[in-house]
Amino acid sequence: MKLLKKMDNIEHIGIAVSDLDEANEVYTKLLGTKPYKQEHVKEEGVITSFFKTDNTKIELLQGVSENNAISNFIKKRGEGIHHIAFEVKNIIKEIARLKKLGFKIINETPKKGADNKLICFIHPRSTKHVLIELCQKI
Ligand code: ZN
């Protein structure tokens, strides 16, 4: 199989938390920097908070509405790493490429995510139980 390098760097790592204020304090201490952005993503029912490091970002996510993915994740598995996000240049092409390779795409039509990105998720069933996010700058 001919492989082409398609994914760029790790854009961010998403961490599910149950108390965003408390988690912000922990990560501010840990990273020595404050979050540069906090955003309510209404469609997902989550509040996110972003920290920059030299070459990537940390996204803290807390569920706010009923039945959102983050609260359900925490109920099942507790707080912790929720997803790894890779930056891609063309999310539509990348979705098509991964679909052809047999990956299970959760949303085949990219949606608007936090931090001005078009995003889609790949089901953990096809990635050794890690939720993978693709994101493209808008
Ligand atoms: Zn993310």
Side-chain angles (χ1 to χ4, degrees):
M1 182 173 40
K2 191 174 164 239
L3 290 178
L4 298 168
K5 185 186 163 287
K6 291 290 185 180
M7 303 251 185
D8 295 334
N9 60 314
I10 292 181
E11 214 281 333
H12 64 268
I13 294 173
I15 299 174
V17 304
S18 49
D19 180 337
L20 193 60
D21 290 336
E22 193 234 328
N24 274 335
E25 273 181 41
V26 171
Y27 276 81
T28 296
K29 281 189 227 160
L30 179 72
L31 301 171
T33 183
K34 289 195 166 137
Y36 69 91
K37 180 189 260 192
Q38 188 153 314
E39 195 176 335
H40 186 182
V41 188
K42 291 210 178 73
E43 310 79 64
E44 303 290 322
V46 299
I47 302 181
T48 66
S49 162
F50 282 91
F51 292 79
K52 265 195 182 104
T53 66
D54 276 351
N55 56 9
T56 192
K57 295 172 190 158
I58 298 292
E59 175 187 32
L60 303 179
L61 304 113
Q62 181 197 326
V64 282
S65 64
E66 288 273 299
N67 225 355
N68 63 81
I70 296 303
S71 304
N72 290 337
F73 176 90
I74 290 175
K75 260 179 241 155
K76 262 196 247 160
R77 298 168 63 171
E79 293 180 299
I81 292 184
H82 178 259
H83 63 272
I84 298 177
F86 288 93
E87 190 171 359
V88 298
K89 285 187 189 75
N90 184 327
I91 197 166
I92 303 281
K93 276 191 189 161
E94 196 56 16
I95 289 170
R97 179 184 79 91
L98 294 171
K99 228 181 117 178
K100 231 190 261 172
L101 291 173
F103 288 95
K104 190 174 165 3
I105 314 293
I106 295 177
N107 57 301
E108 290 186 20
T109 306
K111 55 189 177 180
K112 198 167 173 290
D115 207 25
N116 287 318
K117 299 280 192 314
L118 273 180
I119 64 167
C120 96
F121 287 99
I122 303 169
H123 201 284
R125 236 188 343 237
S126 52
T127 54
K128 300 292 175 191
H129 302 283
V130 177
L131 179 63
I132 301 289
E133 175 183 342
L134 304 182
C135 58
Q136 179 195 320
K137 276 189 202 125
I138 299 176

